[in-house]
Amino acid sequence: MLCTKIINARFLTMDPDHPVARQLGIWQGRIVGLDEAVAALPAREVIDLQGATVLPGFIDAHVHLPWTGFTQNTTSIAGCTRIDDALAIVADAVARKNTPGAWVSIVGYDQRALGRHLTAAELDTVSQGHKLYVLHDSGHGCVVNTAVLDLLAADVPHENGFLAEGAMGAARALRLPYSQEEVAESIGRAARTCLAEGITACAEAGIGGALFGHTPVELGAYQLAREKDLLPLRVQLMVSADRLRPVGAHEADGIPKALDLGLRTGFGDDWLSVGALKIFTDGGMMARTAALSAPYEGLDHAGQLQDDPEVLAQSIVDGHLGGWQLAVHAIGDRAADVALDALERAQRLRPRPGARHRIEHAGLIRPDQLPRIARLGVSAVVQPGFLRSFGDDYAAIMGAERAPWLYRGRGFLDHGITLVGSSDRPVTDGSPLRAVQFMVERASASGRLIGPDEGITVDEALHAYTVAGAYACHWEDRAGSLTPGKRADLVVLGDDPRGVDVSRIGDIEVVATYVDGREAGK
């Protein structure tokens, strides 16, 4: 007897051997059959979806759950366009804290909306003896007040209180880490938001590191979240490369650096596992720190690498030799050059054709870089929401020649590169359906077309958020399509993305999300 049989639905299976179905059977959290294979089987529960469209649960291959959860519960200055308004919100947060000497965190900071960066001196006027930490929306910078600057080493660079990349990490290091309990609660809040948008699995893009880590025992916080039933979706954890250290393994192992006990990609189970090693090579476009091969339009600099190119390359090689799948953060084309050079070197030293290394973001990829990515078998994990939300700005700072290279779609697919969809939540909107819409129409929120030749089909965009996401996370035998034997992770939609006008895809209702054959929230 089946546990559940779902009938009277339009299942878009993403499986070419059985692309559309009307019925689906579930037993112990797994799909056991479709259509005639289950039609005559009895079931404890029969669910009639009355013609609704069902897809495999969406997979967000690059997300930040704790950061998202903390952002949801932190004072924000998002939407402010005047310095005085932003400072007034900070002053109110300080008054509510009313513990001089304590830290006050603020999120939602974006200098573009304000016309310029806030300064330490301006924050001093509202700090009332508190330490202020105003996080940039990109996660690649922050503004702090003088009370924080006074605690930093003299050689930490800043611009009137704005700290970027490693300098921001130095400020973060001054604070006590969050407790595992706090992180677990934050994970739970963010996970519920993901479920509401049809996401059943995701890859957490960097735990334990200086830039995005929340505690040196962050993996334990995820375990706690699972133990407390706060983890209602499947999560794969990328580990920040700065957590690796030299080890005295046997020379035959060829492992120069590792986590304690040699933990690496693949450890865990269907709910919580260790995924790729996250390596940062540059910053972000919002903060103007993505490393480009030519300057930003209208600026006198081309961003920055996170470290000396050889140091970055060695981290990539060490991770590869240690048996890790690599997730290399490279937004600018110069950073992509560094990543590709190092990946080629690593594969020469120890060929691992099945490593499935990934470039996270691949925000600006020149035409000459596409064949290199394809030759290396590297996946491009992109965030279409960036151009939907920030496309007007990104196109302006890249200029007419480079704007069509931003967050490509067609270029990757035509070269045989696996195109993987993701959000980088909470940097921008996390909805897979709105991202699918952008991947097809390539229109920013204002309606501006950005690289329209990079548009792809609806089927290809859905593939990026299902089949390709599963492949990038080594889940293809368990997720990504509605195929017998795979996990019964489903999203029920109020309409068929392939049957509505493209401009309406992002507004399709997510009716329900099923994980392990059970409707989330019930």
Side-chain angles (χ1 to χ4, degrees):
M1 175 178 286
L2 299 174
C3 296
T4 305
K5 182 159 60 174
I6 303 176
I7 64 171
N8 192 18
R10 180 174 175 78
F11 294 95
L12 306 182
T13 68
M14 306 306 294
D15 181 349
D17 293 333
H18 196 147
V20 180
R22 302 298 298 179
Q23 296 187 46
L24 179 144
I26 301 169
W27 185 71
Q28 292 189 351
R30 296 272 174 169
I31 299 167
V32 297
L34 302 165
D35 290 337
E36 65 275 2
V38 298
L41 297 178
R44 296 191 187 97
E45 180 184 28
V46 177
I47 299 173
D48 185 341
L49 289 182
Q50 301 179 4
T53 297
V54 181
L55 279 157
F58 295 126
I59 297 170
D60 189 333
H62 185 118
V63 67
H64 300 276
L65 293 179
W67 181 13
T68 298
F70 283 122
T71 296
Q72 292 170 341
N73 270 21
T74 303
T75 298
S76 174
I77 57 174
C80 289
T81 57
R82 297 176 63 249
I83 297 291
D84 288 347
D85 292 342
L87 291 174
I89 293 173
V90 175
D92 181 66
V94 167
R96 283 184 279 111
K97 185 76 170 183
N98 195 26
T99 310
W103 288 86
V104 174
S105 293
I106 306 292
V107 298
Y109 174 57
D110 186 344
Q111 85 285 356
R112 298 171 304 174
L114 295 170
R116 64 169 175 82
H117 279 298
L118 291 170
T119 68
E122 288 169 332
L123 292 179
D124 289 344
T125 65
V126 295
S127 64
Q128 298 295 314
H130 295 73
K131 302 181 188 74
L132 301 186
Y133 184 92
V134 183
L135 179 64
H136 196 276
D137 270 347
S138 68
H140 288 272
C142 66
V143 183
V144 299
N145 64 337
T146 303
V148 177
L149 293 177
D150 288 344
L151 298 175
L152 294 171
D155 60 350
V156 174
H158 71 90
E159 184 178 344
N160 296 321
F162 179 72
L163 301 106
E165 308 303 339
M168 180 192 74
R172 286 176 65 110
L174 296 172
R175 308 178 60 174
L176 285 174
Y178 288 100
S179 70
Q180 285 191 342
E181 189 79 28
E182 291 174 303
V183 176
E185 294 288 341
S186 176
I187 291 166
R189 284 193 296 273
R192 291 189 293 274
T193 300
C194 290
L195 281 173
E197 294 177 341
I199 297 165
T200 57
C202 66
E204 167 64 45
I207 63 168
L211 279 181
F212 289 104
H214 295 87
T215 168
V217 289
E218 198 160 0
L219 194 154
Y222 273 89
Q223 289 180 293
L224 179 63
R226 185 178 177 190
E227 291 163 1
K228 297 183 67 174
D229 290 327
L230 296 173
L231 198 65
L233 46 69
R234 307 179 196 280
V235 180
Q236 188 177 86
L237 305 173
M238 298 184 206
V239 176
S240 291
D242 53 15
R243 304 305 301 171
L244 268 60
R245 60 181 181 83
V247 292
H250 192 283
E251 62 181 16
D253 294 333
I255 301 175
K257 289 184 177 181
L259 289 182
D260 289 341
L261 302 180
L263 193 72
R264 59 174 173 81
T265 303
F267 184 82
D269 58 24
D270 274 0
W271 283 96
L272 184 62
S273 60
V274 174
L277 185 71
K278 178 75 175 292
I279 300 174
F280 286 92
T281 62
D282 69 345
M285 286 187 187
M286 293 169 64
R288 310 315 196 222
T289 54
L292 310 180
S293 56
Y296 289 90
E297 193 79 6
L299 299 178
D300 60 358
H301 70 87
Q304 65 189 76
L305 295 171
Q306 292 283 358
D307 209 326
D308 179 83
E310 181 53 35
V311 172
L312 296 173
Q314 193 59 55
S315 293
I316 291 170
V317 171
D318 287 347
H320 175 87
L321 295 178
W324 288 88
Q325 178 190 24
L326 303 179
V328 185
H329 168 114
I331 292 184
D333 60 327
R334 182 185 176 206
D337 280 334
V338 171
L340 294 172
D341 289 346
L343 290 170
E344 285 182 345
R345 175 174 151 195
Q347 290 285 15
R348 283 196 304 270
L349 289 171
R350 182 176 297 168
R352 287 177 53 211
R356 298 192 194 174
H357 296 323
R358 312 159 35 147
I359 291 184
E360 306 300 302
H361 307 296
L364 186 75
I365 298 296
R366 302 187 309 270
D368 65 286
Q369 292 173 318
L370 292 168
R372 295 188 70 196
I373 296 172
R375 188 168 60 250
L376 284 165
V378 172
S379 298
V381 183
V382 301
Q383 296 76 41
F386 281 7
L387 289 192
R388 185 178 180 276
S389 298
F390 314 128
D392 295 353
D393 174 64
Y394 284 14
I397 61 173
M398 290 300 108
E401 180 184 7
R402 293 182 294 183
W405 307 343
L406 287 163
Y407 295 91
R408 292 175 179 270
R410 176 57 54 202
F412 288 132
L413 293 179
D414 284 354
H415 282 79
I417 298 164
T418 300
L419 175 65
V420 184
S422 68
S423 70
D424 205 16
R425 185 195 303 266
V427 177
T428 191
D429 179 19
S431 163
L433 286 171
R434 285 191 284 274
V436 165
Q437 178 178 322
F438 174 83
M439 295 174 87
V440 178
E441 64 183 8
R442 299 286 297 187
S444 70
S446 74
R448 176 176 180 170
L449 294 181
I450 303 167
D453 291 344
E454 288 294 324
I456 61 177
T457 68
V458 174
D459 280 334
E460 289 168 335
L462 292 173
H463 186 279
Y465 273 91
T466 54
V467 178
Y471 176 84
C473 296
H474 291 270
W475 284 334
E476 71 274 12
D477 61 335
R478 291 163 280 171
S481 66
L482 303 181
T483 303
K486 293 190 177 182
R487 304 182 303 221
D489 296 350
L490 329 165
V491 56
V492 182
L493 302 178
D495 218 328
D496 183 346
R498 304 188 308 182
V500 303
D501 187 88
V502 173
S503 64
R504 291 184 50 216
I505 292 175
D507 295 324
I508 292 174
E509 179 188 4
V510 175
V511 177
T513 305
Y514 287 76
V515 181
D516 257 358
R518 295 186 294 273
E519 185 175 354
K522 289 191 175 181

